[in-house]
Amino acid sequence: MTPSRLHLLIDTDPGVDDALAILMAHAQAEVAALTVAAGNVGLAHTVANALKLVEHAGAATPVHAGCATPLVLPAADAAFVHGSDGFGDVGYVPASTRASAEHAANAIVRLARERPGELTLVALAPLTNLALALRLDPALPTRIRRLVVMGGAVTGRGNFERVPTEFNIGFDPEAAHVVFANWPQFELVDWEACVRHALPFARFDALLAGAGERARFYAAISAKARAFNAANGRGGMVVADALAMAVALEPALVRRVERRHVGIELAGTLTRGATVVDWEGRNGQAPNASIVLEVDQARFEALVARGLGLAQAT
Ligand code: BDR
Ligand code: CA
């Protein structure tokens, strides 16, 4: 049976753009759980941040702590963008709630079994938890309605220390390989699309000037990341996970998409973690990814506004 309201399961490493995505999700969907990985910052911070977001959303969404490290090799975090606590080091008062005792990977497997065909899984973090869940339950893709992944740089203009690589994939390439090689069909929102769909700074600032508590909280935790975006010559605030969430929430806002096979480079000295797209259909492998290339920017911004507690885009 098709549920009338969207039901989401969000794997995340909050992170400033994860935060916006999670607020957007709670504004208009049912969120079954947040499963949390290390990534932008260490696991203790990403879990605390997830709990704080649930509090701000006025929800009771369970939060499950997952993997504290990548599957194979250590990787550097992104604290230089998000702040050392992942939320701009504003010293927020921690939520009074706690994470569930169930590991994130187990929670993904259980929820998919309990609610077959119902959940849209939105992966906003390194894919460590999801790879583990897939190893625990190889039939997981048959139980998930849609998988939307924020990750990759489909023409090699990444944001990671290895140039063609994007952070979520570069942080844990082996996990990304497990997911990309075993999930028959998923939607991919890559870094380059997120840069094209940055929120112009004037627009971003206008949204954050909205009167409510959520907008104020978000303005505070995103200030450091906004300064980083401005200092690094970006055309606006890149809120990657928010774009992926918009695609999950409102698939009709996608304007251009291409189905291609995407593999993960695991060995290259300069390219480990790169998403290799078979644009010309040369490798004989069936497309596994619907690569989102363009969305309706106005509709995206309207979803952001709603997530921040504003009735409509200002
Ligand atoms: C991705 O990496 C993280 O830093 C962000 O939260 C986003 O998920 C963008 O490359
Ligand atoms: Ca993220």
Side-chain angles (χ1 to χ4, degrees):
M1 199 183 81
T2 307
S4 51
R5 200 159 184 249
L6 191 61
H7 297 258
L8 301 177
L9 175 55
I10 305 173
D11 191 69
T12 177
D13 61 335
V16 170
D17 57 333
D18 301 75
L20 187 53
I22 289 165
L23 294 175
M24 289 161 65
H26 281 90
Q28 70 182 73
E30 187 254 350
V31 183
L34 301 181
T35 57
V36 182
N40 283 320
V41 289
L43 188 67
H45 284 305
T46 55
V47 170
N49 294 347
L51 292 166
K52 188 67 185 175
L53 287 169
V54 169
E55 181 186 277
H56 266 283
T61 309
V63 171
H64 298 265
C67 297
T69 63
L71 291 182
V72 180
L73 297 177
D77 67 23
F80 64 99
V81 182
H82 298 262
S84 62
D85 71 350
F87 269 6
D89 300 317
V90 293
Y92 70 76
V93 178
S96 54
T97 47
R98 298 181 137 215
S100 157
E102 184 182 33
H103 190 281
N106 289 329
I108 294 170
V109 169
R110 175 181 56 77
L111 286 163
R113 284 193 174 143
E114 285 173 2
R115 305 168 70 165
E118 196 180 318
L119 297 170
T120 293
L121 177 50
V122 192
L124 306 176
L127 291 161
T128 324
N129 290 336
L130 188 48
L132 209 54
L134 255 174
R135 289 304 196 219
L136 290 169
D137 181 6
L140 183 64
T142 66
R143 309 183 214 283
I144 292 290
R145 187 177 180 80
R146 288 167 70 201
L147 169 63
V148 180
V149 175
M150 191 282 124
V154 297
T155 71
R157 300 189 67 165
N159 64 347
F160 198 60
E161 61 206 32
R162 293 182 296 278
V163 174
T165 304
E166 177 277 332
F167 179 83
N168 284 342
I169 309 298
F171 188 87
D172 194 345
E174 281 75 18
H177 169 72
V178 169
V179 174
F180 280 49
N182 293 289
W183 208 287
Q185 178 55 47
F186 56 90
E187 292 152 69
L188 186 66
V189 179
D190 87 315
W191 173 254
E192 296 170 50
C194 297
V195 171
R196 287 194 294 278
H197 286 287
L199 302 174
F201 289 119
R203 177 82 180 118
F204 184 67
D205 295 344
L207 287 169
L208 294 185
E213 196 198 329
R214 247 180 286 160
R216 272 200 302 279
F217 175 71
Y218 196 71
I221 67 168
S222 64
K224 235 178 202 171
R226 188 204 181 285
F228 178 89
N229 277 259
N232 283 274
R234 292 183 183 154
M237 180 77 174
V238 183
V239 282
D241 294 335
L243 187 68
M245 184 57 72
V247 169
L249 291 171
E250 202 180 312
L253 63 63
V254 174
R255 282 195 171 152
R256 195 155 64 90
V257 63
E258 293 204 24
R259 290 195 67 226
R260 292 288 182 270
H261 182 268
V262 184
I264 307 296
E265 171 62 61
L266 294 178
T269 314
L270 299 175
T271 56
R272 185 176 136 75
T275 37
V276 180
V277 182
D278 185 8
W279 289 110
E280 309 291 333
R282 292 175 199 273
N283 69 14
Q285 291 187 269
N288 54 354
S290 294
I291 303 169
V292 173
L293 294 168
E294 190 187 338
V295 308
D296 181 324
Q297 180 77 12
R299 287 168 78 173
F300 168 42
E301 291 180 11
L303 289 171
V304 170
R306 191 165 169 190
L308 291 171
L310 310 170
Q312 57 183 27
T314 54

